[in-house]
Amino acid sequence: MKTKNLMVTGGCGFIGSNFIHYLLRQDDFTGRIINVDKLTYAGNPDNLEGIEKNYPDRYIFERADICDPGLMEDIFSRYGIDAVCHFAAESHVDRSIKDPGAFIYTNIVGTFNLLEAARSHAGDFILFHHISTDEVYGSLGKEGLFKETTPYQPNSPYSASKASSDHLVRAYGKTYGLPVTISNCSNNYGPYQFPEKLIPLIALNAKEGEKLPVYGDGRNVRDWLYVEDHCDAIWTIMKSGRRGETYNIGGNMEMENIVIVEMVCDMLDEITPIHRGKNGPRKNLITFVKDRPGHDRRYAIDFTKLQNELNWSPKESFESGIKKTISWYLENSKWVQRVKNNEYHSWISEQYKL
Ligand code: NAD
Ligand code: TYD
């Protein structure tokens, strides 16, 4: 992968920032990263603290909205962008249910703008890698796994907007011959995840002895992948994946939500007894709340294509990954305090009314 000027969109978000940390450590990446991020509520420059200083010639930050086509074209020209790794998105299902508009603009129109910029620089352009989700495939019953050939059946405005962007990327490959790859990944967890998502939300509430909201009966299943394994899979696909192809990425780690919540409670009880005058095990804080509308029951990924073609498989076990994650949130209280700003508090109180 001989990219000289790689545009990473959404590099201040959870997976994007992990990817930038990961990529700058790889011997087989020698190019420069141009991180394009609008810094929405989910974008946090703290996730990349020290990067500008440590890699002054290899990292540039551009605060920009991918929904602005003129600006995207300008950034492509100015930096000679020859590849894109596209993370930027509105990413939270619950927010897409409350307010779908931003998901349509950023996830669909924003992706279209980037594809157009890439198309207009087609001569020098090496790869457009699009980061997507397994949620485009809809919901599974008790049996079966999502394959790359599973028909799309998105159920939330979030997954519908991601499905739409996947189709656009694929179409630009077929119609214009743009070199594209797409990856559809299962649920990630790890450092720098915004605490509106299940694992960091539960870990931080449990730490503080606050209620732990579990949707419906808590028996919905997700397939969990440690974020660093996701980054490794993305780079593997960018380097060696067949152009025009889609690759599923998963953790082989199906878990019911309630099992994860209980595990996080037990781990925190072991590390630190509950405080603020609250007694008993943290499991007592579990509160079943009204289910999410259209809540997908089960996701599970078949990633044999990635395994067989590119020899990738996840390295981190859930036990060690979740331990590292919990420790990271406990050790980074400054990061947590800064993330829990007014917008965060109003979202949480509006969403849960616990
Ligand atoms: P995130 O919400 O943590 O980060 C999104 C980033 O995109 C933020 O930095 C935000 O500022 C930026 N952004 C949003 N709108 C923008 C715009 N209009 N212009 C420029 N930047 C903008 O998301 P994440 O969890 O890191 O997810 C990254 C990607 O991975 C998304 O495309 C998501 O669909 C996909 N994905 C996520 C998961 C998961 O478990 N989190 C799983 C599979 C796929
Ligand atoms: P989430 O982290 O929002 O990811 P996604 O919806 O993209 O899979 O949610 C993961 C699972 O946890 C999902 O089944 C919804 C559930 N959930 C809760 O039970 N309580 C919560 O507070 C949150 C945020 C999620």
Side-chain angles (χ1 to χ4, degrees):
M1 180 69 196
K2 293 267 179 275
T3 172
K4 288 199 184 85
N5 293 301
L6 171 66
M7 176 191 277
V8 173
T9 69
C12 294
F14 163 47
I15 307 174
S17 59
N18 276 284
F19 182 70
I20 290 175
H21 285 290
Y22 166 90
L23 195 55
L24 288 169
R25 288 197 307 268
Q26 303 307 306
D27 293 335
D28 54 4
F29 174 69
T30 51
R32 187 166 71 147
I33 292 175
I34 295 88
N35 174 12
V36 172
D37 197 303
K38 179 183 173 184
L39 298 184
T40 65
Y41 77 95
N44 183 356
D46 290 354
N47 296 0
L48 292 169
E49 209 184 340
I51 289 282
E52 234 151 359
K53 208 170 114 233
N54 294 338
Y55 298 92
D57 303 327
R58 299 193 58 205
Y59 174 79
I60 292 166
F61 176 61
E62 279 280 344
R63 184 172 190 176
D65 187 340
I66 61 168
C67 296
D68 182 336
L71 199 47
M72 290 307 108
E73 173 54 39
D74 171 54
I75 293 173
F76 261 71
S77 298
R78 226 170 344 118
Y79 296 110
I81 299 297
D82 57 15
V84 172
C85 184
H86 177 34
F87 294 91
E90 289 292 339
S91 68
H92 190 35
V93 174
D94 293 318
R95 288 188 192 247
S96 84
I97 294 167
K98 279 246 156 71
D99 189 9
F103 289 72
I104 305 305
Y105 288 113
T106 287
N107 299 2
I108 305 177
V109 180
T111 302
F112 163 69
N113 290 337
L114 292 166
L115 288 165
E116 279 291 276
R119 184 162 80 94
S120 76
H121 291 259
D124 309 314
F125 198 74
I126 303 171
L127 178 66
F128 190 104
H129 182 71
H130 179 59
I131 310 295
S132 193
T133 165
D134 60 353
E135 305 191 22
V136 297
Y137 298 121
S139 185
L140 290 165
K142 280 194 166 43
E143 301 294 321
L145 302 168
F146 295 135
K147 295 180 190 304
E148 288 81 359
T149 49
T150 302
Y152 275 31
Q153 208 164 52
N155 291 318
S156 72
Y158 164 67
S159 53
S161 68
K162 291 297 291 186
S164 177
S165 62
D166 292 7
H167 291 322
L168 279 172
V169 174
R170 187 173 177 280
Y172 271 63
K174 291 277 177 202
T175 304
Y176 304 113
L178 196 73
V180 300
T181 42
I182 300 172
S183 52
N184 294 85
C185 187
S186 60
N187 287 61
N188 284 215
Y189 68 101
Y192 304 116
Q193 187 166 33
F194 192 79
E196 64 188 352
K197 305 279 166 60
L198 179 73
I199 289 182
L201 183 128
I202 294 298
L204 293 177
N205 278 17
K207 171 178 173 269
E208 297 298 337
E210 286 163 13
K211 287 184 179 165
L212 309 176
V214 174
Y215 299 168
D217 63 1
R219 300 280 171 206
N220 299 65
V221 171
R222 299 291 182 264
D223 174 359
W224 293 92
L225 181 69
Y226 192 63
V227 64
E228 179 120 355
D229 277 328
H230 188 189
C231 296
D232 190 45
I234 293 166
W235 186 228
T236 302
I237 295 166
M238 289 178 73
K239 284 186 296 187
S240 319
R242 283 184 290 139
R243 283 16 187 175
E245 291 289 317
T246 287
Y247 293 88
N248 279 353
I249 309 173
N252 226 349
M253 194 41 64
E254 283 185 57
M255 310 262 285
E256 288 181 342
N257 295 335
I258 189 70
V259 173
I260 295 188
V261 173
E262 289 182 349
M263 196 185 241
V264 171
C265 287
D266 291 344
M267 283 174 56
L268 279 163
D269 284 348
E270 257 180 50
I271 299 169
T272 142
I274 211 153
H275 64 116
R276 282 208 189 161
K278 294 181 175 101
N279 298 314
R282 282 180 168 84
K283 280 179 190 163
N284 292 349
L285 301 166
I286 292 173
T287 309
F288 290 93
V289 298
K290 202 167 147 257
D291 209 354
R292 172 189 279 173
H295 195 178
D296 288 335
R297 192 64 174 168
R298 176 172 164 260
Y299 303 145
I301 281 270
D302 178 342
F303 58 88
T304 47
K305 179 175 174 181
L306 182 55
Q307 201 164 27
N308 293 343
E309 277 188 25
L310 306 182
N311 200 22
W312 177 89
S313 51
K315 293 186 182 72
E316 195 77 49
S317 73
F318 190 74
E319 285 69 24
S320 64
I322 194 81
K323 266 194 193 132
K324 279 195 209 173
T325 305
I326 302 292
S327 304
W328 188 87
Y329 280 93
L330 294 179
E331 284 159 14
N332 286 276
S333 48
K334 234 164 82 192
W335 183 93
V336 170
Q337 284 325 310
R338 282 164 79 156
V339 157
K340 286 185 162 185
N341 56 18
N342 290 343
E343 195 281 340
Y344 178 76
H345 286 298
S346 65
W347 163 258
I348 293 292
S349 60
E350 165 79 4
Q351 172 73 4
Y352 296 107
K353 300 190 173 81
L354 287 170

